[in-house]
Amino acid sequence: MEFSDTYKHSGPCCFSPDARFLAVAVDYRLVIRDVVSLKVVQLYSCLDKISYIEWAPDSEYLLCGLFKRAIVQSWSVTEPDWTCKIDEGSIGIVHARWSPDSRHILTTSEFQLRLTVWSLVSTACVHVPWPKHPARAISFTKDGKYIAIGTRRDCRDYIHLLACQGWEAMGNFEVGTSDLADLEWSPTDSTIAVWDSPLEYKVLIYSPDGRCLFKYCAYENALGVKSAMWSPCGQFLGVGSYDQVVRVLNHLTWKPAAEFTHPAQIRHPSTTIVFKEVDEPWRTDLESIYAKGVPSDSLRRVFYKVIEAPVTIPSQKPPVDKPNPKQGIGLLAWSADSQFFFTKNDNMPNALWVWDVVRLELLALLLQKDPIRSAAWDPIYPRIALCTGTSQLYLWTPAGACCVQIPLSEFYASELKWIPDGTALLLKDKEAFCCTFVPMLPEFEPDDENENEHEHENEDEKEKETENGSL
């Protein structure tokens, strides 16, 4: 793996959807870099420190949230002289996002007074009163034609549907939640999943016309749903809860297809492969080779060691007198092919659990020395990258796992992001970032022999076509 030099940042960084550019916030400046060379392509100066960055889906525009001044500024990569400023005045702005057509910006005001749709083409704007959350409970369909917005009025939760073409109201119906936490369209655009606040375990499935198709409650009188996510294929809805269990609901009956628990100990031998991070010094005869001044990390060897059952997973007991306990499934994410998903149990912060949905079993368990700071799936291949705030990058695939030393002085990766085409990773330290270019998985590399065979087949077909044509 190749690593770039480090560059300064002051907060948000993100790749463009077409994987050509990287946008970086450096105080009040917005820096656009080329992904391959990391050279500066454009440089914009904003009115205040940048709090948030988001690319438009077409990668032509991007917005900067200057939430301290209640302003959103938008810029164009292809037209450097073009700019746009959105100012909500006294009601403020706490969040902003793009619409799927890349020509509208949605902003949420302070205290969730209203959600406003601003057009970049005309001066028209649309207001939706009383959105439930600034950033959550807002979901677009995959085809970008409709948006579902969770709202609240008269102490009741509603879903407000709008058509993105013209932003006309398509419907408004009440949902059976006490305090709606979030909602999300299914990848097939046929249903909307809604879940309640952690005070009550409740998952509801609605059709776009407002019919409640199913209500699911795993238990009562305890903290409920903590995370939920659709599989990319739309056939499963993973629901993680405070009882340290993930329940996978199927799209046919909306009942659990499987339940995955996170025990503190794996006692019996199984097909699960447990990778434990080991940090040990190099042999003394090799240490003498290094000169003085070499970083201490270079004198140590970090690797994964496969261990057998019984295995005890380090866990923490959350305090009973504090709110929002660090317990339960706080992180749940699906692979691009929907065959795998990983979870992190918040009271076991050093462990990453990788599950196989086809076999309905725990496929791998990664035990880190330090708490996991960030983990993400490759957008294309079944591959996980994670970091723990150290000078190591960790990768997992169905074929195995490895630890990669980041060859940069005093760089400790605490956050990572994949590029949309899966060829590179963005690694962030507290004040610097770097990029690493990840090789393609061997099992997904094109086979030269097969390519040659296809070429010969195409040549034979062309010869037959010319012979038939001459006849």
Side-chain angles (χ1 to χ4, degrees):
M1 295 177 62
E2 298 180 358
F3 290 82
S4 71
D5 295 331
T6 58
Y7 300 91
K8 185 180 178 181
H9 78 84
S10 63
C13 307
C14 57
F15 289 107
S16 61
D18 62 2
R20 293 179 55 202
F21 304 108
L22 172 63
V24 182
V26 184
D27 295 327
Y28 64 91
R29 294 185 298 273
L30 176 65
V31 183
I32 310 298
R33 295 182 180 272
D34 180 79
V35 166
V36 178
S37 64
L38 291 180
K39 293 182 178 179
V40 176
V41 178
Q42 296 286 354
L43 181 63
Y44 305 101
S45 295
C46 296
L47 299 175
D48 203 342
K49 186 176 181 180
I50 301 172
S51 305
Y52 179 74
I53 293 176
E54 183 178 319
W55 283 91
D58 64 358
S59 300
E60 184 177 347
Y61 300 94
L62 68 162
L63 65 82
C64 299
L66 317 179
F67 299 141
K68 289 183 178 180
R69 295 188 58 173
I71 292 175
V72 172
Q73 288 188 266
S74 179
W75 309 92
S76 172
V77 178
T78 57
E79 301 179 22
D81 296 332
W82 183 92
T83 183
C84 171
K85 186 179 78 168
I86 298 174
D87 189 347
E88 277 275 31
S90 59
I91 67 172
I93 297 176
V94 293
H95 191 264
R97 72 177 72 212
W98 285 100
S99 66
D101 65 357
S102 302
R103 296 300 180 268
H104 294 82
I105 295 176
L106 285 69
T107 61
T108 308
S109 65
E110 289 185 348
F111 309 109
Q112 291 82 61
L113 295 178
R114 71 185 185 191
L115 180 144
T116 306
V117 182
W118 305 85
S119 173
L120 302 185
V121 180
S122 64
T123 57
C125 62
V126 178
H127 300 291
V128 178
W130 311 115
K132 187 63 189 291
H133 301 285
R136 293 181 284 119
I138 299 173
S139 179
F140 290 96
T141 55
K142 193 173 182 179
D143 59 12
K145 292 183 178 180
Y146 303 99
I147 179 176
I149 305 171
T151 61
R152 188 173 180 87
R153 67 176 186 274
D154 300 329
C155 300
R156 295 181 179 180
D157 294 327
Y158 295 85
I159 291 182
H160 197 76
L161 296 180
L162 294 176
C164 296
Q165 183 69 30
W167 300 99
E168 298 178 353
M170 302 298 295
N172 187 24
F173 56 88
E174 184 180 352
V175 295
T177 54
S178 302
D179 185 9
L180 186 148
D182 206 349
L183 62 85
E184 188 176 356
W185 281 94
S186 68
T188 59
D189 297 340
S190 58
T191 55
I192 305 172
V194 180
W195 52 97
D196 216 326
S197 71
L199 295 178
E200 184 177 359
Y201 195 116
K202 187 182 290 184
V203 178
L204 306 171
I205 306 297
Y206 284 91
S207 63
D209 59 2
R211 290 179 295 115
C212 184
L213 303 178
F214 192 76
K215 298 179 181 180
Y216 179 70
C217 176
Y219 53 83
E220 296 178 350
N221 302 322
L223 293 177
V225 177
K226 191 169 188 178
S227 59
M229 186 178 184
W230 286 100
S231 64
C233 65
Q235 297 181 2
F236 302 104
L237 175 65
V239 182
S241 50
Y242 279 87
D243 67 344
Q244 307 175 48
V245 178
V246 174
R247 295 167 177 87
V248 178
L249 310 182
N250 71 83
H251 75 299
L252 298 177
T253 64
W254 300 112
K255 295 181 179 180
E259 294 186 2
F260 301 97
T261 60
H262 296 68
Q265 188 176 38
I266 299 177
R267 300 178 180 179
H268 304 290
S270 63
T271 57
T272 302
I273 303 176
V274 181
F275 299 93
K276 184 177 181 180
E277 182 187 1
V278 178
D279 183 2
E280 63 181 25
W282 287 98
R283 298 193 306 270
T284 54
D285 57 335
L286 292 178
E287 288 182 6
S288 61
I289 299 177
Y290 291 92
K292 293 182 179 180
V294 176
S296 58
D297 292 343
S298 302
L299 300 178
R300 304 191 67 83
R301 186 166 66 107
V302 180
F303 62 96
Y304 277 126
K305 181 180 180 181
V306 178
I307 58 177
E308 298 180 355
V311 178
T312 301
I313 296 95
S315 61
Q316 303 173 356
K317 189 176 181 180
V320 295
D321 58 343
K322 293 184 179 180
N324 301 319
K326 292 186 177 180
Q327 176 179 322
I329 313 303
L331 181 62
L332 187 156
W334 291 85
S335 61
D337 59 3
S338 300
Q339 183 176 349
F340 311 101
F341 70 92
F342 70 69
T343 57
K344 192 186 81 166
N345 191 2
D346 285 349
N347 55 307
M348 300 176 182
N350 296 31
L352 191 74
W353 309 67
V354 185
W355 307 89
D356 189 333
V357 180
V358 176
R359 299 180 180 179
L360 299 179
E361 64 182 7
L362 179 63
L363 181 62
L365 176 63
L366 279 64
L367 296 178
Q368 308 296 135
K369 279 186 56 185
D370 303 287
I372 297 171
R373 298 284 192 89
S374 180
W377 282 102
D378 186 320
I380 307 297
Y381 309 113
R383 173 169 50 187
I384 300 172
L386 63 104
C387 59
T388 60
T390 64
S391 59
Q392 300 288 330
L393 172 66
Y394 307 92
L395 298 173
W396 175 91
T397 69
C402 66
C403 307
V404 180
Q405 173 71 37
I406 301 175
L408 301 171
S409 177
E410 297 183 357
F411 185 90
Y412 306 103
S414 58
E415 185 181 346
L416 58 82
K417 289 183 181 179
W418 284 96
I419 195 171
D421 62 5
T423 59
L425 269 169
L426 172 71
L427 304 178
K428 291 178 63 177
D429 194 352
K430 187 176 181 180
E431 297 180 350
F433 76 91
C434 74
C435 289
T436 177
F437 302 96
V438 187
M440 184 183 294
L441 292 177
E443 54 266 33
F444 292 95
E445 290 182 354
D447 191 352
D448 294 337
E449 294 182 359
N450 292 337
E451 287 186 355
N452 293 334
E453 290 178 1
H454 290 306
E455 289 179 359
H456 290 309
E457 290 177 359
N458 293 334
E459 291 177 358
D460 294 339
E461 290 178 358
K462 289 180 181 180
E463 290 179 359
K464 290 180 181 179
E465 289 178 0
T466 53
E467 289 177 1
N468 295 333
S470 61
L471 291 176

